[in-house]
Amino acid sequence: MTTYIAHARIFDGEKLLDAQSLTLNGEIVTAIGGDTAPAGAEIVDAQGATLMPGFIDSHVHTSVESLREALKFGVTTELEMQGYWTPQQRTEVNNDDTLADVRSALIALMAKGGHPSELMKDLGEHDPAAGESKGWVMPSVSTPDEARAHVNAFVQQGADYIKVMIEEGTVMGRPDLPQMNPQTIRAGVEEAHALGKRVIAHAITLDATRQALEAGVDGLAHLFIDRKADAQIIVALADADVFVTPCLVISSSLMGNAATALADDPRVNSRLPQIWLDTLRGRFNTYPEGNFQHVLDSVAALHSAGVDILAGTDASVPVASHGGVAHGASLHHELQYLVQAGLTPSDALAAATSVPARRFNLIDRGRIAPGLRADLLLIDGDPTTSINDTLDTRAIWRRGTRLAA
């Protein structure tokens, strides 16, 4: 089926284009510009709206139902940072145009009893005595050889990238969590690189971030929240070409802030089930002494230094005690926070489209160009000048299939 979208303001993932029309045929964009619709094409009049690539959430822990919720808000791809999917499950998801697409690290490198075991115990998914999953022992490593073996095993099982947990528990309200030693972390990182895989580190403190840099990771799945960025760490991250997914929405939740205003927005509560609205109104509140403005200032400083900033939410399960975040909806909240931190609206939009596509080598999406996937959003208004407009969704296409209203 051919669709011709006319009279649109087109943001291609990096900039606004002069063209005002686009043609898609099947799963791909076939042309940008042109005053005449192809014969037989469905015509969509986009007058007053902005056409842009589907959003990429660069940090989630997801499920089939969560992928469905994400797509309702224009998130056409979720990058999972911890969670197991069989190859068959992932193929089924990726071929289902009612769900967001997914990429996954599968199971991260972690210490026995270390993060995120404490969170899973809180959710009742672990044996409280053993600290392990009921019916399944979560893989953990304690030596360089075990780290290399773990990376090999999960690359063979289809991991798109590797996640490593560097978390001693300070900001999680669980000090003295077990951790891997630096030699074990480095061995895992080196093995992943030898196998052609990127490595993303969970590191929410400045000390953990320094460990991640020393190990040679490619990106950070969080931004440290215990201290404001100083010149030394800014230069170090920029020189190492490490990208940062600050996950400001979860940082805010850790500091005790609920996302009540987001949950109350009619553009959100009309699309989210009650369980997720209740989750948005919840919060972690494990680090109430934190200063959220310092985190925003750190994002601004890193962005000014040329560090790639990616939009991610760390959305996971609908539980109020782990709340403040929901799949799909919170990506829009993250964009608002990025603009509050000092990014332009266009830079924030790029952080959810072209930048993660480039950093995760998603060469078929994240931009609008002939030959790329027709993962598209049509948004009333102009989010390149008013980021709040992103929630005014008129239409969503996933691989050229328009999401049913």
Side-chain angles (χ1 to χ4, degrees):
M1 178 180 178
T2 301
T3 301
Y4 179 77
I5 303 172
H7 309 127
R9 180 185 303 105
I10 301 177
F11 176 76
D12 72 351
E14 297 175 342
K15 62 186 182 302
L16 285 172
L17 303 181
D18 293 332
Q20 296 183 345
S21 66
L22 176 147
T23 303
L24 61 97
N25 192 335
E27 300 179 3
I28 66 170
V29 173
T30 53
I32 295 175
D35 296 329
T36 305
E42 175 192 11
I43 298 175
V44 176
D45 186 352
Q47 189 70 48
T50 301
L51 188 67
M52 60 174 294
F55 289 131
I56 300 169
D57 189 330
S58 294
H59 186 159
V60 301
H61 308 279
T62 196
S63 67
V64 169
E65 285 309 310
S66 293
L67 292 167
R68 196 179 312 280
E69 296 300 331
L71 187 59
K72 291 179 186 178
F73 288 89
V75 175
T76 52
T77 302
E78 287 197 327
L79 304 182
E80 184 173 64
M81 292 294 156
Q82 168 85 339
Y84 190 78
W85 297 75
T86 67
Q88 180 180 350
Q89 288 170 327
R90 295 169 72 197
T91 298
E92 290 171 355
V93 163
N94 294 339
N95 288 333
D96 186 340
D97 290 320
T98 68
L99 309 173
D101 201 2
V102 66
R103 297 291 183 273
S104 181
L106 302 183
I107 303 300
L109 279 166
M110 68 188 83
K112 184 176 178 60
H115 183 78
S117 298
E118 83 286 2
L119 297 182
M120 297 182 73
K121 283 197 287 185
D122 288 346
L123 297 172
E125 297 181 10
H126 274 54
D127 181 308
E132 294 171 347
S133 302
K134 295 177 180 178
W136 183 62
V137 176
M138 185 180 293
S140 59
V141 303
S142 59
T143 68
D145 284 345
E146 289 176 354
R148 285 187 281 266
H150 176 104
V151 169
N152 269 276
F154 284 96
V155 168
Q156 290 179 23
Q157 292 172 53
D160 294 294
Y161 38 84
I162 297 297
K163 175 85 174 288
V164 56
M165 299 294 189
I166 308 176
E167 175 61 69
E168 93 294 340
T170 302
V171 301
M172 303 301 298
R174 300 292 180 87
D176 300 323
L177 281 175
Q179 296 186 80
M180 294 174 289
N181 61 47
Q183 295 78 17
T184 297
I185 295 170
R186 178 174 286 279
V189 172
E190 290 176 349
E191 189 68 15
H193 287 164
L195 296 172
K197 299 296 180 182
R198 292 166 177 79
V199 182
I200 299 90
H202 166 107
I204 316 186
T205 64
L206 185 55
D207 286 345
T209 299
R210 289 179 176 134
Q211 288 185 56
L213 278 170
E214 289 170 1
V217 304
D218 303 288
L220 300 175
H222 293 274
L223 179 59
F224 49 89
I225 65 173
D226 59 328
R227 282 177 257 178
K228 189 174 178 178
D230 58 24
Q232 184 180 25
I233 194 65
I234 292 168
V235 170
L237 288 166
D239 286 351
D241 193 28
V242 168
F243 65 81
V244 177
T245 308
C247 291
L248 293 168
V249 288
I250 205 71
S251 298
S252 180
S253 177
L254 289 168
M255 292 178 180
N257 302 312
T260 303
L262 184 69
D264 290 344
D265 190 320
R267 300 172 297 176
V268 172
N269 59 40
S270 63
R271 284 186 263 180
L272 269 186
Q274 189 62 47
I275 191 170
W276 279 110
L277 293 172
D278 292 342
T279 300
L280 282 177
R281 295 186 175 102
R283 56 190 181 158
F284 269 90
N285 198 32
T286 58
Y287 194 61
E289 64 269 36
N291 187 322
F292 189 58
Q293 185 59 51
H294 286 174
V295 184
L296 295 177
D297 292 344
S298 294
V299 170
L302 291 168
H303 179 65
S304 295
V307 174
D308 278 337
I309 303 296
L310 281 60
T313 63
D314 201 6
S316 56
V317 294
V319 178
S321 62
H322 291 49
V325 183
H327 289 267
S330 291
L331 194 281
H332 298 262
H333 197 190
E334 185 74 10
L335 296 178
Q336 294 168 19
Y337 275 146
L338 289 175
V339 172
Q340 186 178 335
L343 275 69
T344 67
S346 290
D347 286 342
L349 295 174
T353 55
S354 61
V355 179
R358 171 168 51 81
R359 295 306 302 236
F360 282 88
N361 198 33
L362 303 174
I363 61 174
D364 62 344
R365 69 196 69 192
R367 295 179 297 113
I368 292 178
L372 299 188
R373 275 172 62 118
D375 288 354
L376 302 169
L377 306 183
L378 188 61
I379 296 170
D380 284 322
D382 183 5
T384 68
T385 59
S386 175
I387 200 65
N388 190 56
D389 288 352
T390 61
L391 280 165
D392 293 319
T393 311
R394 188 187 297 187
I396 300 166
W397 289 265
R398 198 267 204 185
R399 289 197 313 177
T401 297
R402 187 168 179 171
L403 184 66

